[in-house]
Amino acid sequence: MTLREIKTKALEDIDLNRESIINLGKEIFAEPEVGYKEYRTAEKVDRIFSGWNIDIKRGLALTGIRGTLKGARPGPVVGIIGELDALINHDHPAADSETGAVHACGHFAQIAWMVGTGFGLRHIINELNGSVVLFAVPAEEFIDLEFRQGLKDEGKIKYFGGKQELIHLGEFDDIDLVIMNHAQSDLPGRNVFMTDGSNGFIGKFARFTGRASHAGVAPEKGINALNAFNIALTSIHSQRETFRDQDMVRVHPIITKGGDSVNVVPGDVTSEMYVRARTTEAIRDTNIKVDRSLKAGAMGVGASVEIKTTAGYLPLRNDKQLSDLWMKNAAEIVGEDNVSYTGPFGGSTDMGDMTHLKPGIHPMVGAFSGDLHSKDFKVTDEEMAFIIPAKINALTVIDLLYGDECMAEKITADFTAEFSKDKYEELLDSLTYNLIWKE
Ligand SMILES: [Zn+2]
Ligand SMILES: [Zn+2]
């Protein structure tokens, strides 16, 4: 078959399976599960893969599942990723009434795109080199941290991010390039964006310990841990003038416990925060300032503070050649005017980690109104929300794996990894530490 014939057949096969793909996306939306608990979501993927007579690996990082479409000859391996997990937002009308879980980050659509790409490629894979791994991965949202800490303590996971864990387990070792797509915040039209990367982050927990006492009778006997937190917060705000614009630093704390009882001087106050920035260096630099601020709060009132820091995700780097190829195919389907390169994305993803190790892309896709994670997030355009990105992915994979000296080989050869897998894990481990400050 010619390249054009292969592509036409792939697009036809996606259209032929339109209903199955859309139903899968809708079923996943209707039964949201948060990270490392996505057993039913994975089963839905399994049901489709099982009908395809392909190699399947299940239970990867607890819930991950991958299916491999093998080409006619050995060659590069392209991974198509879909994220399985929902997040928690009790206010969303579609939220699970008990858990608050809801697909307000569009991951249900990602699974439809990943499986849709498979529908497009499975009957023409013999015309290509190498293979394609369709990979449903767990736990992208960095939430539900107590549960994940429990899994970690039990030795069931090492990392909180699903892709991080799968990298650690070696499940990406045989994959040369990775492609995924993500819903864009409040973009109802049929547009796609390639961002200039994204922020990375680390997660922090701080517990201020003072001394509880009667707030009316004997406040002088107390040490007010809430005041310690207040000073820490002011100190963090005082650092902001030192943040460089190009680093896109964000430090966003919340208070998770502000005291026990209104008539008792708060003796135990807890807080969580992220430190985000566009480079690992800026994250490290800001983190030093935040630790200093937390200690300053404790010092000011004579309290103590325990700080637990956990590696989050590294900044995203979209591979240039792979981006251009995907965007060229996107333009073919949604039109030149609806395809654009934009500035960096302020959020974070464990796809960032992946793109430090191998060429990868994380284009953003319209078809949704309402901001990501908000109660208003919803599908506006079914064709785009479930089908079109699968077509763009399929065309891109065909371009990557077609012919001698195929393009995937060139992109892989031109890519320089930021570090080896061992060095990557060393970095994550160095960003995970506990410290206690007391006088
Ligand atoms: Zn999200
Ligand atoms: Zn997401």
Side-chain angles (χ1 to χ4, degrees):
M1 288 168 88
T2 65
L3 183 61
R4 186 38 59 193
E5 284 165 352
I6 294 171
K7 287 186 170 181
T8 305
K9 167 86 174 126
L11 297 182
E12 280 170 7
D13 281 347
I14 292 173
D15 283 330
L16 277 174
N17 293 283
R18 195 174 175 279
E19 216 168 302
S20 312
I21 299 167
I22 293 178
N23 285 345
L24 174 69
K26 287 184 171 174
E27 277 174 34
I28 294 173
F29 182 83
E31 201 172 356
E33 299 173 299
V34 298
Y36 290 129
K37 298 174 186 169
E38 315 95 325
Y39 294 98
R40 292 206 187 116
T41 312
E43 269 170 32
K44 294 178 178 54
V45 175
D46 199 346
R47 268 205 311 268
I48 293 185
F49 283 180
S50 295
W52 287 0
N53 193 25
I54 56 172
D55 284 344
I56 304 172
K57 285 177 90 177
R58 305 174 174 85
L60 309 173
L62 301 178
T63 58
I65 171 167
R66 48 175 272 181
T68 304
L69 303 170
K70 280 206 178 72
R73 292 166 296 278
V77 181
V78 182
I80 303 289
I81 294 178
E83 296 167 340
L84 291 161
D85 61 325
L87 54 100
I88 296 171
N89 180 345
H90 286 273
D91 294 340
H92 196 290
D96 183 289
S97 55
E98 266 174 46
T99 63
V102 63
H103 271 291
C105 203
H107 297 185
F108 63 103
Q110 287 186 31
I111 299 289
W113 299 329
M114 182 269 292
V115 168
T117 308
F119 273 114
L121 295 174
R122 59 189 285 259
H123 294 307
I124 52 89
I125 193 72
N126 278 333
E127 302 287 333
L128 304 177
N129 301 304
S131 48
V132 177
V133 173
L134 304 166
F135 210 150
V137 305
E140 188 279 328
E141 302 290 350
F142 201 87
I143 57 169
D144 204 16
L145 302 185
E146 264 186 62
F147 170 74
R148 291 187 200 180
Q149 187 61 49
L151 291 177
K152 195 173 164 179
D153 294 343
E154 290 169 40
K156 290 183 177 161
I157 58 167
K158 183 172 182 208
Y159 296 109
F160 285 3
K163 295 184 202 66
Q164 297 177 318
E165 183 67 12
L166 290 164
I167 291 169
H168 165 66
L169 294 173
E171 292 301 337
F172 278 100
D173 285 358
D174 61 338
I175 297 175
D176 299 305
L177 312 95
V178 275
I179 296 175
M180 66 168 281
N181 324 101
H182 198 287
Q184 168 76 8
S185 236
D186 207 12
L187 183 72
R190 270 184 203 185
N191 305 72
V192 300
F193 286 118
M194 194 67 72
T195 64
D196 181 16
S198 81
N199 270 340
F201 80 100
I202 54 176
K204 295 178 79 70
F205 165 87
R207 158 164 274 141
F208 293 91
T209 306
R211 192 189 306 125
S213 69
H214 195 298
V217 177
E220 73 282 3
K221 290 185 181 157
I223 296 176
N224 191 321
L226 185 60
N227 287 342
F229 174 71
N230 260 323
I231 296 167
L233 201 56
T234 304
S235 181
I236 289 169
H237 293 330
S238 306
Q239 313 291 334
R240 295 192 192 275
E241 67 182 21
T242 70
F243 300 162
R244 302 189 313 166
D245 292 349
Q246 64 266 41
D247 290 332
M248 279 183 67
V249 178
R250 283 119 166 80
V251 183
H252 43 94
I254 58 165
I255 188 159
T256 48
K257 183 183 174 193
D260 289 298
S261 169
V262 69
N263 55 4
V264 176
V265 170
D268 179 35
V269 166
T270 58
S271 162
E272 285 176 19
M273 65 207 76
Y274 279 7
V275 173
R276 297 189 200 251
R278 274 205 78 191
T279 65
T280 312
E281 298 74 54
I283 293 173
R284 276 188 196 283
D285 178 63
T286 309
N287 185 47
I288 291 168
K289 294 169 182 173
V290 170
D291 277 351
R292 215 163 54 203
S293 300
L294 295 169
K295 289 185 221 168
M299 184 188 283
V301 301
S304 65
V305 62
E306 180 188 11
I307 307 167
K308 291 183 180 175
T309 301
T310 309
Y313 301 154
L314 300 184
L316 175 74
R317 302 166 167 197
N318 286 316
D319 182 84
K320 181 75 177 90
Q321 292 184 69
L322 196 49
S323 294
D324 290 346
L325 183 63
W326 194 91
M327 294 291 264
K328 175 186 76 83
N329 284 307
E332 230 172 77
I333 304 228
V334 297
E336 205 70 64
D337 293 348
N338 298 316
V339 169
S340 47
Y341 290 84
T342 62
F345 176 58
S348 310
T349 163
D350 54 359
M351 190 64 180
D353 296 48
M354 194 73 77
T355 58
H356 280 68
L357 300 170
K358 44 192 86 205
I361 49 167
H362 183 272
M364 309 296 285
V365 172
F368 309 92
S369 65
D371 284 325
L372 292 172
H373 295 197
S374 82
K375 70 175 172 50
D376 304 319
F377 182 81
K378 63 169 192 275
V379 170
T380 51
D381 179 341
E382 277 196 358
E383 194 65 19
M384 189 68 180
F386 298 110
I387 303 295
I388 289 176
K391 291 184 173 176
I392 303 170
N393 288 346
L395 295 181
T396 304
V397 171
I398 293 166
D399 281 335
L400 284 168
L401 297 179
Y402 181 77
D404 300 332
E405 292 170 21
C406 64
M407 203 178 292
E409 276 173 22
K410 175 171 174 13
I411 292 176
T412 312
D414 289 347
F415 178 80
T416 312
E418 186 64 22
F419 26 59
S420 66
K421 207 174 105 178
D422 287 347
K423 288 272 175 237
Y424 159 68
E425 290 199 27
E426 267 174 39
L427 172 69
L428 291 192
D429 296 344
S430 78
L431 293 171
T432 303
Y433 63 91
N434 293 347
L435 76 87
I436 292 177
W437 186 90
K438 62 176 145 199
E439 232 164 1

